[in-house]
Amino acid sequence: MIDVGPARDWIAAHGLVCADPASLVEGLGERLVALGLPVWRLYIAMPTISREMRGFDIAWTRGDKLQQEAFPHDRGEQKFLDSPFGHMIRDGVERRRWRLAASDDHAVYPALQELRALGATDYIARIVEFTPDQDMILRGIVLSCATDRAGGFTDPEIEAIDALVPFIALAAYRIALAAIVEGVLHAYVGREAGRRVLKGEIRRGQGETLDGALLFADLRSFTPAAEIGGAGFVARLDEHLEAMVCPVEEAGGEVLKFLGDGLLAGFRMDDPGDGEAVLAAALEAIRRNALVNARYPDDPALDLDVALHRGPVFYGNVGGGKRLDFTVI
């Protein structure tokens, strides 16, 4: 019987403090080899909640560089559906093994054909569900191990890997959930506000008074234009909002909330010259918004109104009932 204790203890300890799933996969691959397991390739993939991607995978190959790939929202789904994992999910199977050197049942999977061509002889795949009854994208992970040893894995070696799978899944879940919470807060309340919320600033009235600048931006005549353009007009709205947001962020400010066809942004005023950067950001937003209008010469122009305020502001939590907002007053 193979003693997986050292690898199990490392997974548990690393999973509690790690923020990078790649380091988990890389360290795990190295420790599986240290146990004497003939692991040639280790692969883990999971969904996430991100503006840029709907999931990612990480592959460790013995003696080679770690590979990471993100799955954008608009492509890549069919590749997963055609993979061994896609077929396993459709068939309701959580465990599969393909002896790549001994049979042809892998031929329908391009990924397995590629691994066999690179020298893989045996491949085991596992699916671990986290929350099967919960309406949440982070429902589980998929994991595979491949070997290039003649004859493939032995039964004790597969048992040793399976003994570690629950610990791998728990560590991956903790890392992924922390990243999702941080990413969602950054996307919906802003990076600095999200950081403060994660630090525990979640009581009504909790915050600080500081010297700041506020930027209010609003598109002129958007409502009648949207009534004519309908739901398809939202795509153009995103372009206008992008023209406002980027100059704010480039100047060190943070968008606190979107207000329909406008926004509210805040800037810390730590130095006397910070006001010039805020004014430059406002003028740049107006310039970029005009460029968006130029891309739609046959549609009504949506000019941008900007108002600036500088002075003492309260930056923190306000709200009522069970609903809070981290904002500026």
Side-chain angles (χ1 to χ4, degrees):
M1 184 175 180
I2 300 172
D3 180 14
V4 300
R8 179 196 60 213
D9 294 344
W10 178 85
I11 294 169
H14 194 68
L16 288 172
V17 300
C18 174
D20 179 18
S23 69
L24 175 68
V25 176
E26 185 173 31
L28 177 60
E30 294 169 351
R31 280 156 181 81
L32 291 177
V33 172
L35 289 176
L37 299 175
V39 176
W40 168 65
R41 183 177 183 270
L42 174 66
Y43 172 92
I44 292 178
M46 67 182 74
T48 189
I49 299 176
S50 166
R51 292 171 295 178
E52 293 80 20
M53 59 181 177
R54 59 180 179 81
F56 62 92
D57 64 10
I58 305 168
W60 172 88
T61 304
R62 188 181 66 239
D64 204 350
K65 293 181 179 180
L66 198 72
Q67 294 182 333
Q68 302 182 63
E69 182 181 6
F71 308 138
H73 291 282
D74 57 348
R75 58 185 175 87
E77 184 174 3
Q78 191 60 45
K79 181 179 178 181
F80 180 80
L81 293 176
D82 293 337
S83 72
F85 295 112
H87 284 263
M88 290 171 65
I89 291 174
R90 287 195 294 275
D91 294 340
V93 177
E94 296 180 350
R95 299 159 55 92
R96 275 297 306 268
R97 180 183 186 182
W98 285 268
R99 296 180 181 272
L100 302 182
S103 66
D104 295 326
D105 67 341
H106 66 281
V108 296
Y109 306 110
L112 296 188
Q113 292 185 53
E114 181 180 347
L115 290 177
R116 182 182 183 183
L118 293 173
T121 59
D122 204 356
Y123 179 92
I124 60 174
R126 302 291 185 261
I127 297 176
V128 183
E129 279 193 294
F130 295 151
T131 53
D133 299 325
Q134 186 172 333
D135 188 15
M136 180 176 174
I137 193 171
L138 189 60
R139 292 188 293 269
I141 67 167
V142 298
L143 177 148
S144 70
C145 283
T147 182
D148 57 354
R149 186 179 66 185
F153 292 112
T154 65
D155 289 342
E157 290 167 346
I158 294 178
E159 291 174 2
I161 294 172
D162 282 337
L164 293 173
V165 167
F167 296 91
I168 299 169
L170 280 171
Y173 182 80
R174 206 285 306 168
I175 295 169
L177 189 60
I180 285 175
V181 170
E182 183 178 7
V184 168
L185 282 173
H186 289 174
Y188 283 92
V189 304
R191 183 167 300 276
E192 175 62 19
R195 184 184 68 83
R196 288 172 176 252
V197 170
L198 288 175
K199 286 176 60 179
E201 294 186 27
I202 56 173
R203 291 184 293 112
R204 188 169 58 178
Q206 188 174 15
E208 66 173 319
T209 299
L210 50 83
D211 186 23
L214 304 183
L215 182 150
F216 297 89
D218 185 75
L219 289 173
R220 199 181 309 156
S221 303
F222 177 81
T223 300
E227 290 174 348
I228 297 172
F233 209 68
V234 174
R236 178 176 170 183
L237 173 60
D238 286 336
E239 293 185 48
H240 287 279
L241 293 176
E242 185 82 5
M244 306 176 209
V245 171
C246 289
V248 168
E249 294 182 339
E250 290 164 6
E254 183 168 52
V255 174
L256 299 166
K257 61 174 83 284
F258 291 100
L259 307 167
D261 57 313
L263 58 80
L264 166 65
F267 300 78
R268 293 186 71 104
M269 295 287 99
D270 296 322
D271 298 314
D274 287 343
E276 295 296 328
V278 176
L279 180 58
L283 294 173
E284 179 63 14
I286 293 172
R287 187 189 72 83
R288 295 189 191 184
N289 185 75
L291 294 177
V292 176
N293 283 326
R295 292 198 289 268
Y296 297 90
D298 298 328
D299 294 337
L302 302 176
D303 295 324
L304 183 63
D305 290 331
V306 177
L308 299 175
H309 166 81
R310 179 173 181 175
V313 300
F314 171 79
Y315 182 52
N317 287 288
V318 298
K322 296 182 179 180
R323 181 68 170 85
L324 293 176
D325 191 10
F326 207 104
T327 187
V328 290
I329 304 297

